Amino acid sequence: MNRAARSALCAISFRSLVLAFGLAVLVSGPSVPDVFGSALGAASESAPGAAPGTATGVAPRAHDASITHAATAPATWLASGLASLLATPALVPLLPPDDLTPKQLKKLGKLGKQYDKRQEKLLDARLRAIDAHVTRTLASDTLDAAEVDTSLKPKQLKKLKKALGKASKRHAKALKIELKAATRLELVTEGILELDATYFDVSEVVAGTLIDTPVVIQEARPAGALPSDRIGALATFGLPFSQEQAVPIVDGVPQLGVIGSDVYQFRALDEWPDGSARWVLCDIQADVAAAELNDTLVVVSGPGGSDQPPIGSAADGTLLLDTGPMQVLLQSGGFNLFKSVTVDGELVARAGELPGVTGLDLNGRPLHPANTQASLEENGPARAVVRVDGLLKNPDDQGVVPFTCRITARRGSRELEVTFTVQNSRLGMSRHARLESLELVTQLRPATGNGTGNGTGNGTVATIAGHAEPWSVPLTTAATSVARLYQGYTANTTTGVEGVQYLPHLPKVQGSGLVLAHEGYLAAAAGQTLHSLGNRNEFPRHGFVDLTNDRGGLTVAIQHMPALWPAALAAQGDGLVRVGLFPEQNPAPFTFVWRQHESRSVLFAFHGPTPGDPLARARAFDHPVVGRAADYAHYDRAGVFAYDLLTRDEHEQALGMLGIDHTIVPTNPALRLTRYLYKGTTGGLNNHASIERRLGGEWLRDGTGGNYLSALDLALYKSEWQIARSSDFKHADDAGPSNNNVPTSSGHFGDDEHRYREGILLAYHLTGDPRFAAALFDEAENLKDVSLWQHERSMYQTLRAMALVVEFTGDDKLAKILRERLQYFLFRQVDVDAAAGGWGWDAAPGQGTRGYYVNSSDNNNEKPPGENFQARGFISASLGPLGLYHAARVLPEGHSLVAPTQLRLQDLARWTREELFPHHPDPAQQRLAYSYAVSLRHVTKWESVDFHPILLGMSESWRQTGDADYLAKGAEQLRAAKAHGDLHFWDARLDVQHFLSAVRERVLER
């Protein structure tokens, strides 16, 4: 059911709702899971080609927070569905039909109580958030609730009065809504009110509370990672809102606030057609206890930001970042990283003559930043980001490689996050960029020489990460007194290192795929070797070096350093700190492929003369604090996904409706970083919308940090390596690199068959990271030049990529090309029984007896004797419907191509139902055809593992035709996957949730 239809159904009378649910089934529901009626019969005995049934009205789907994992009869599931419907925020249906029996009225009374409990749960979340907010406002735990402490300052009293006043009004309004609705519902169920077909519309009353969205804040920790207390941490995350919530945007700022936090800001990432906020980037400061969630926060209507001044300001060619305890001065022109850093009133670092960004060219000559332009890319009371664009030049004033450097500062923090991106994608420098090293440098003020009372003489101490424990070593103030950490190749989980076409910066030993020139790590200080290279299994989990003296100190750490080899950190006794993003210790030059980007993120944590816990700082940097909606159903209600989403309980409930007993076990994997993926890599990492599944189906639903971090890394890899980048030119104008003879990694730029872009879209909306957005705009240029040909997999995957990128970028030229591609593809026909070759469909859209699409030049090595047309089952049955579905979604409403695109999806679904996934009485013996001889109607190879669901085509064909045989066929595949032990592969797939949502709709329809 599309979103518009679902919204329209919210306005129907209660009599119609009850009739649509079929209240007789509610009372005496079926005893077996025959949820599709005679269309399903006994498992799937009906003829695959049965005539489509008549489409019927479908009750709107609602999420039920009361569903449990206990075994539940179908009648109770229907009751749960009705209870959820009664809890729809904008409408409380009131009056049942006048023919209800006393037993049915009693049943309805129970539903009213379930409704009350749901509202109480929401109120409880609000009250807990208010409690937390008031506690933070008072900054005291000694006050009695019935009195006001006379020691409070006037400003504190004013703030307390304002907070309590807003909370009281909101609480009173919510209570009024829920009490009035629940009371009136109780009167109806007791038969006191007159029975008619009216409903109680409370939309005006609740308009002020529609936006309220409880959120949870947590550390994103993968499996095995140690938790940390995160006090005053800032969570940055994307949150969607429905068009009905109508979040206004003023000067790019969504008008939102937060109950439970005093520091926050919001920025619009996407808008609905009416100009209201669709996706919002939230920055919320909160305390998070180790291994706990902070669930006391609610996003509400508000001013768009807390009342602190913006962190960033600009004046006289400089930029100032003021977080409260730290002030950082940056040069707008002549950028040299940090001009000065003041912490707690003490000047701790100043650049002097340092370039800030430096390195060596191939001749060993120093590089320096030039043509730099710095600006405040983002600026608010909670967070500010300075963006610096520039060019590294050699002493001859020749450009070596362009770069973008982003410096992030957060309210209340003494830390800076620096993300440095090498951008080898400028047209005037079209070559593979090569250099010997690239590093960031800053200068701490040296020790006074008076010591700090810690027995180290001049008071300078370096602390270096180790694989067991850190080392602390005294240093002299001489430049030759150095502490360093160098990271070679490790056994940390990475992807693609063994690929023969991958030439990593750290070279492989000749003739070996997994032995690299430097393995393990080197730690040294003051002329002493603390740990030597050689053992890839020994490495610091969180690489850092800290330098502290009697003036202050600095911890530097490279995010996920064990997987981003080679990398180096060094600190000198005279205060010089160096971060080797691409260090000179590497035994070979660094080569950046033409049209490739590559990023590294670095922590600069400044502190006073006491070093504290640098390991904890580095670990926290690897595990950022992030947030998400407390209720996964919020993402479905927002209507921002291409699919209908189900909570875990709803998912399992829908499987139970099909007679499938399955428990979803959330997985939190270890962090996996991607170094390389061949463009045609098979399997989940490169295929099957892996990023979307991990982010949308696992992170948002279950809060598993390993999925969040690994998915974002993969999205960044695809953004910087798989998408050919173009900073200042169109893809068609690229003549290629001028030094194409230089050995480089190859085979990584995306091809026609594996363009999975939905994960990058979601990564952007969940983080607001501009690197994802920029990559998608570059991809829009690339897609305009994709060859137009009849290869089946390439066609579906390109349609899918085009549709998603058009939806994100709004690129009109690409949208036109998408329509031209559909016009080319949808209408050509070929008779496989008569033709010796060619390509096309068996008939006009929706008119064929079989529904196939074929191309005689595909899969030649799989054809049996006498066959001219060989198809791949997973392409036609799984990838095809997905491509056509997304293409139809982005076509203008009422466009002439919408209907034929949807009919072609139905053609493929019908072909799948009748031939590619044939019925078998034993689910364990039922498989999808992998290779299929079309004219011979013969399966030449079956799939061995259930990686490819046919469910999207089945659910959409049912929605478009009302033919429940499509749902029955999808149910067969789910039962087969369960029998094969493969159902867990689909636990988090969004297209599978979409199908199971259709199952629920069908059950509620009956």
Side-chain angles (χ1 to χ4, degrees):
M1 178 185 299
N2 61 41
R3 306 287 174 181
R6 188 179 302 171
S7 299
L9 280 167
C10 286
I12 67 177
S13 70
F14 189 68
R15 179 187 298 274
S16 299
L17 284 170
V18 174
L19 291 175
F21 274 87
L23 202 54
V25 179
L26 174 68
V27 176
S28 58
S31 58
V32 295
D34 179 9
V35 296
F36 307 130
S38 59
L40 178 60
S44 252
E45 293 295 343
S46 58
T54 303
T56 58
V58 180
R61 181 168 72 83
H63 293 272
D64 182 5
S66 67
I67 297 173
T68 68
H69 290 277
T72 313
T76 309
W77 296 331
L78 297 181
S80 299
L82 184 54
S84 296
L85 191 61
L86 294 178
T88 301
L91 194 69
V92 179
L94 260 188
L95 300 178
D98 53 11
D99 57 353
L100 294 186
T101 66
K103 186 176 181 180
Q104 290 170 332
L105 282 172
K106 183 178 179 181
K107 193 98 171 180
L108 193 56
K110 292 182 179 179
L111 299 181
K113 293 179 181 179
Q114 291 181 14
Y115 167 77
D116 292 342
K117 290 180 180 178
R118 179 178 173 84
Q119 302 309 314
E120 287 171 9
K121 187 175 181 181
L122 179 59
L123 277 177
D124 181 63
R126 290 179 185 150
L127 288 172
R128 282 188 287 112
I130 291 169
D131 274 346
H133 183 70
V134 171
T135 300
R136 289 172 66 89
T137 303
L138 295 175
S140 170
D141 57 5
T142 61
L143 299 182
D144 188 280
E147 61 187 20
V148 177
D149 191 340
T150 56
S151 66
L152 290 178
K153 297 178 181 179
K155 187 174 181 180
Q156 290 176 305
L157 284 171
K158 184 177 180 181
K159 193 171 184 181
L160 173 62
K161 182 178 179 181
K162 182 179 178 181
L164 290 176
K166 289 174 67 176
S168 298
K169 288 179 182 178
R170 184 171 295 280
H171 188 200
K173 181 181 286 188
L175 279 176
K176 181 180 179 182
I177 298 162
E178 284 134 11
L179 191 59
K180 187 174 181 180
T183 301
R184 193 165 171 89
L185 182 62
E186 185 177 356
L187 292 175
V188 172
T189 60
E190 292 177 359
I192 296 174
L193 294 185
E194 179 182 358
L195 298 177
D196 59 24
T198 62
Y199 58 87
F200 175 40
D201 187 350
V202 296
S203 57
E204 290 185 5
V205 185
V206 302
T209 64
L210 273 174
I211 288 173
D212 292 13
T213 305
V215 297
V216 293
I217 307 296
Q218 66 179 91
E219 271 193 310
R221 287 186 299 110
L226 294 176
S228 303
D229 287 325
R230 309 296 292 275
I231 307 303
L234 190 71
T236 301
F237 61 99
L239 191 66
F241 292 89
S242 69
Q243 192 164 2
E244 290 71 26
Q245 288 175 293
V247 176
I249 300 174
V250 178
D251 297 328
V253 178
Q255 299 301 283
L256 296 169
V258 181
I259 297 176
S261 175
D262 295 325
V263 178
Y264 57 85
Q265 69 186 51
F266 299 95
R267 176 168 65 87
L269 295 176
D270 194 9
E271 299 179 9
W272 290 104
D274 64 1
S276 62
R278 187 170 184 262
W279 278 98
V280 172
L281 186 65
C282 311
D283 285 281
I284 301 175
Q285 191 179 80
D287 296 338
V288 181
E292 299 291 335
L293 305 176
N294 184 334
D295 60 357
T296 65
L297 304 157
V298 183
V299 175
V300 297
S301 295
S306 50
D307 55 9
Q308 300 86 0
I311 289 175
S313 59
D316 301 326
T318 61
L319 298 171
L320 175 65
L321 299 174
D322 187 350
T323 68
M326 178 178 66
Q327 294 76 42
V328 181
L329 198 62
L330 307 166
Q331 291 187 171
S332 181
F335 173 70
N336 59 351
L337 202 56
F338 318 128
K339 185 175 182 180
S340 67
V341 180
T342 301
V343 176
D344 298 325
E346 178 78 19
L347 180 66
V348 298
R350 56 186 173 191
E353 300 301 317
L354 290 176
V357 183
T358 186
L360 300 173
D361 69 6
L362 290 181
N363 296 315
R365 298 179 300 174
L367 302 174
H368 64 277
N371 306 340
T372 56
Q373 294 182 332
S375 61
L376 283 163
E377 186 175 55
E378 193 155 358
N379 192 21
R383 184 172 61 95
V385 180
V386 172
R387 171 176 174 156
V388 183
D389 294 301
L391 179 66
L392 280 177
K393 288 187 174 182
N394 62 24
D396 296 332
D397 204 37
Q398 295 174 330
V400 176
V401 69
F403 68 86
T404 292
C405 180
R406 289 182 169 90
I407 302 172
T408 301
R410 299 173 173 89
R411 172 69 58 188
S413 176
R414 296 167 179 80
E415 299 178 354
L416 296 170
E417 180 178 340
V418 176
T419 298
F420 193 94
T421 304
V422 173
Q423 297 182 327
N424 191 30
S425 56
R426 190 176 296 180
L427 190 59
M429 303 173 63
S430 53
R431 61 178 181 271
H432 302 308
R434 308 189 75 204
L435 45 82
E436 286 292 333
S437 66
L438 194 162
E439 61 182 18
L440 307 178
V441 293
T442 192
Q443 177 73 53
L444 287 180
R445 295 182 69 193
T448 62
N450 297 324
T452 60
N454 58 10
T456 61
N458 63 50
T460 302
V461 177
T463 305
I464 309 163
H467 68 281
E469 297 290 338
W471 291 280
S472 290
V473 180
L475 299 180
T476 70
T477 56
T480 55
S481 184
V482 182
R484 61 169 54 92
L485 174 69
Y486 171 73
Q487 184 66 71
Y489 173 65
T490 73
N492 187 82
T493 307
T494 51
T495 297
V497 180
E498 69 282 359
V500 296
Q501 291 174 288
Y502 176 48
L503 302 184
H505 295 308
L506 182 58
K508 299 175 182 178
V509 174
Q510 189 172 6
S512 172
L514 271 178
V515 178
L516 278 73
H518 290 161
E519 299 197 346
Y521 75 104
L522 170 70
Q528 177 185 1
T529 298
L530 305 173
H531 189 276
S532 300
L533 289 168
N535 187 348
R536 67 169 70 177
N537 296 306
E538 292 182 348
F539 55 90
R541 292 289 174 183
H542 312 284
F544 71 86
V545 167
D546 179 87
L547 185 67
T548 300
N549 61 39
D550 58 348
R551 296 181 187 270
L554 169 64
T555 301
V556 288
I558 296 177
Q559 196 168 55
H560 308 313
M561 187 172 177
L564 294 177
W565 33 262
L569 301 167
Q572 298 176 185
D574 63 356
L576 183 68
V577 177
R578 302 166 60 190
V579 178
L581 303 178
F582 304 97
E584 59 184 319
Q585 294 96 325
N586 194 47
F590 293 91
T591 300
F592 300 95
V593 178
W594 168 236
R595 301 189 67 180
Q596 170 199 316
H597 288 187
E598 191 161 355
S599 295
R600 298 288 187 269
S601 292
V602 182
L603 172 71
F604 289 83
F606 294 93
H607 56 78
T610 302
D613 189 348
L615 174 58
R617 296 188 194 105
R619 183 169 59 238
F621 186 49
D622 281 342
H623 306 150
V625 170
V626 290
R628 54 192 172 90
D631 183 1
Y632 184 64
H634 171 81
Y635 296 97
D636 183 68
R637 289 192 293 265
V640 295
F641 282 82
Y643 310 106
D644 295 337
L645 305 181
L646 296 179
T647 66
R648 185 151 46 95
D649 289 330
E650 290 171 333
H651 190 134
E652 292 175 3
Q653 174 213 57
L655 290 171
M657 291 175 174
L658 302 176
I660 300 172
D661 181 14
H662 179 69
T663 299
I664 297 172
V665 179
T667 59
N668 185 29
L671 176 64
R672 174 184 289 272
L673 267 68
T674 302
R675 297 301 302 264
Y676 176 83
L677 275 178
Y678 177 66
K679 60 186 177 183
T681 300
T682 59
L685 292 175
N686 197 39
N687 297 341
H688 315 309
S690 171
I691 304 167
E692 182 186 60
R693 171 181 58 78
R694 295 185 197 181
L695 292 178
E698 297 185 272
W699 160 249
L700 293 181
R701 189 156 72 171
D702 297 308
T704 49
N707 282 306
Y708 175 83
L709 295 174
S710 297
L712 290 183
D713 175 76
L714 180 56
L716 185 61
Y717 169 83
K718 287 177 177 282
S719 297
E720 296 191 329
W721 275 58
Q722 278 199 350
I723 294 177
R725 306 304 302 273
S726 50
S727 298
D728 57 356
F729 61 93
K730 294 181 179 180
H731 176 74
D733 296 332
D734 177 23
S738 60
N739 57 345
N740 208 24
N741 59 322
V742 173
T744 67
S745 296
S746 60
H748 54 277
F749 288 127
D751 62 6
D752 294 0
E753 299 185 41
H754 301 87
R755 274 192 151 94
Y756 295 88
R757 299 300 177 234
E758 48 268 78
I760 301 176
L761 271 71
L762 184 54
Y764 171 71
H765 285 137
L766 293 183
T767 65
D769 190 329
R771 292 174 295 178
F772 296 134
L776 290 167
F777 278 95
D778 282 352
E779 181 72 336
E781 291 298 320
N782 300 338
L783 286 168
K784 292 170 186 174
D785 294 304
V786 172
S787 299
L788 180 60
W789 62 317
Q790 61 270 24
H791 183 255
E792 187 179 17
R793 180 169 182 164
S794 297
M795 179 59 71
Y796 298 143
Q797 296 295 79
T798 303
L799 287 174
R800 182 174 171 182
M802 283 183 173
L804 292 162
V805 173
V806 163
E807 187 175 30
F808 180 80
T809 64
D811 192 304
D812 291 335
K813 183 177 179 181
L814 183 59
K816 181 175 181 289
I817 292 171
L818 170 62
R819 296 192 294 271
E820 292 170 348
R821 181 171 286 265
L822 286 169
Q823 187 69 45
Y824 168 85
F825 176 62
L826 295 176
F827 302 102
R828 190 182 182 101
Q829 300 172 34
V830 63
D831 182 353
V832 297
D833 295 324
W839 64 276
W841 303 79
D842 71 333
Q847 301 300 311
T849 57
R850 297 179 66 188
Y852 61 70
Y853 172 84
V854 293
N855 175 28
S856 61
S857 62
D858 289 351
N859 312 311
N860 285 322
N861 62 340
E862 299 173 14
K863 294 176 182 176
E867 181 59 68
N868 296 314
F869 301 92
Q870 193 78 6
R872 287 271 183 89
F874 77 91
I875 294 174
S876 300
S878 184
L879 300 184
L882 281 163
L884 292 166
Y885 171 70
H886 286 290
R889 281 194 316 108
V890 302
L891 288 172
E893 186 175 356
H895 193 278
S896 61
L897 287 171
V898 172
T901 303
Q902 292 175 334
L903 287 171
R904 284 309 188 198
L905 183 152
Q906 293 172 35
D907 286 338
L908 292 178
R910 187 170 67 257
W911 189 32
T912 300
R913 184 182 70 181
E914 298 175 7
E915 299 184 47
L916 301 180
F917 190 72
H919 174 68
H920 194 287
D922 180 2
Q925 301 301 316
Q926 194 170 11
R927 296 280 188 182
L928 177 65
Y930 177 81
S931 186
Y932 188 70
V934 182
S935 62
L936 297 176
R937 306 191 186 207
H938 172 66
V939 176
T940 55
K941 183 180 179 181
W942 297 99
E943 286 213 333
S944 58
V945 183
D946 298 298
F947 280 143
H948 302 102
I950 63 174
L951 304 178
L952 189 280
M954 298 303 146
S955 59
E956 287 307 297
S957 295
W958 169 71
R959 286 189 170 105
Q960 293 164 19
T961 67
D963 183 351
D965 273 354
Y966 288 112
L967 295 184
K969 181 57 66 172
E972 283 185 41
Q973 193 188 32
L974 286 166
R975 293 192 191 99
K978 172 68 175 179
H980 303 152
D982 293 339
L983 189 54
H984 64 281
F985 290 136
W986 299 351
D987 282 351
R989 283 193 60 141
L990 303 192
D991 52 343
V992 175
Q993 293 184 41
H994 190 72
F995 173 82
L996 291 173
S997 172
V999 170
R1000 284 165 52 88
E1001 288 176 21
R1002 174 61 173 167
V1003 172
L1004 298 182
E1005 172 189 300
R1006 296 188 64 236

